[in-house]
Amino acid sequence: MTVRSPGFGRSSQDGRRRVRALLLDTALRLFSERGYVGVRVEDIAKEAGVSRATFYKHFAEREEILAELFDRLVRDVPLPTPPGPDADALPRVRELLTAAATRMAADEQLARFVYTLPIRHAALLGEGARPPVMEQVEELIERGAAAGVVRPDVPPMLITAQIARTFEAAMRDWAEHRAPDVAEHLAVLLDLTFQGIDP
């Protein structure tokens, strides 16, 4: 009968987490340097100093790495909804999204990689493809509609989708170096979304 020490499982799990993090960090660096298409599983494993078999113990394919990197980018973004009356729903949405964009841009290499992918890769289009902060935005839009400060004739889900596209455009413009400050650029695009182009 084999007797394991109490710390056996923990150290094994810690080692597994370290290897997984190493693979993710290596993949991100290689994707940033060569582009997603230019990096193979073999490249990631070799650069990380592990075998292909070890890679496949952690990830079934590169797409799983994409999904995990996207999750890493948006994981800490859900922020407390800014306090205030429902009549201030749109300023609260602006405050929430500015804080989210600023937090995401702080992890510059990861944010620039995710938002410069030439297409929204299938790994990012699943259930978790929308940053969780958009759930809070939708709630604020629903409250704003009930308070009469957001158009009641357009479903809140559709308004939230438009705001999500605006957020995505601001992040992409920043990631592709077309906007030096993501918060300022987001503010301009949100103004266009909220107020249109009428003078």
Side-chain angles (χ1 to χ4, degrees):
M1 179 174 170
T2 304
V3 178
R4 295 181 177 176
S5 66
F8 178 80
R10 185 172 50 245
S11 65
S12 174
Q13 282 293 87
D14 289 346
R16 190 166 164 70
R17 275 194 289 272
R18 277 194 301 273
V19 171
R20 189 174 181 86
L22 173 65
L23 288 168
L24 285 166
D25 292 342
T26 301
L28 175 59
R29 181 175 51 78
L30 292 175
F31 292 158
S32 297
E33 291 171 2
R34 303 179 195 172
Y36 177 74
V37 175
V39 178
R40 301 169 304 154
V41 166
E42 295 82 8
D43 301 325
I44 298 167
K46 182 179 177 183
E47 284 287 319
V50 301
S51 67
R52 283 182 62 186
T54 298
F55 176 94
Y56 286 118
K57 285 180 184 176
H58 295 275
F59 299 100
E61 56 191 1
R62 287 182 317 157
E63 286 75 12
E64 283 186 15
I65 288 182
L66 273 187
E68 186 128 349
L69 288 172
F70 184 77
D71 182 62
R72 181 191 282 185
L73 181 64
V74 301
R75 181 180 329 147
D76 299 326
V77 169
L79 305 163
T81 302
D86 293 345
D88 291 337
L90 294 181
R92 292 167 67 202
V93 165
R94 180 186 306 273
E95 183 181 338
L96 185 63
L97 290 179
T98 300
T102 301
R103 211 277 316 143
M104 290 169 78
D107 194 344
E108 186 172 352
Q109 183 183 37
L110 179 55
R112 285 192 192 275
F113 165 67
V114 167
Y115 283 101
T116 56
L117 282 170
I119 57 168
R120 298 315 282 156
H121 198 280
L124 304 181
L125 294 176
E127 190 176 330
R130 183 167 99 158
V133 70
M134 289 304 159
E135 302 303 322
Q136 293 168 278
V137 167
E138 188 164 1
E139 183 180 326
L140 286 169
I141 294 300
E142 288 170 354
R143 290 179 182 178
V149 295
V150 175
R151 287 180 58 172
D153 60 323
V154 179
M157 186 173 72
L158 185 59
I159 294 171
T160 303
Q162 179 61 36
I163 292 170
R165 285 190 287 277
T166 299
F167 182 81
E168 174 96 4
M171 291 300 297
R172 185 174 295 279
D173 287 348
W174 167 81
E176 295 177 348
H177 301 283
R178 291 193 301 269
D181 185 295
V182 70
E184 289 178 11
H185 190 59
L186 177 61
V188 170
L189 295 185
L190 285 174
D191 283 345
L192 289 171
T193 297
F194 293 165
Q195 299 163 7
I197 59 171
D198 289 338

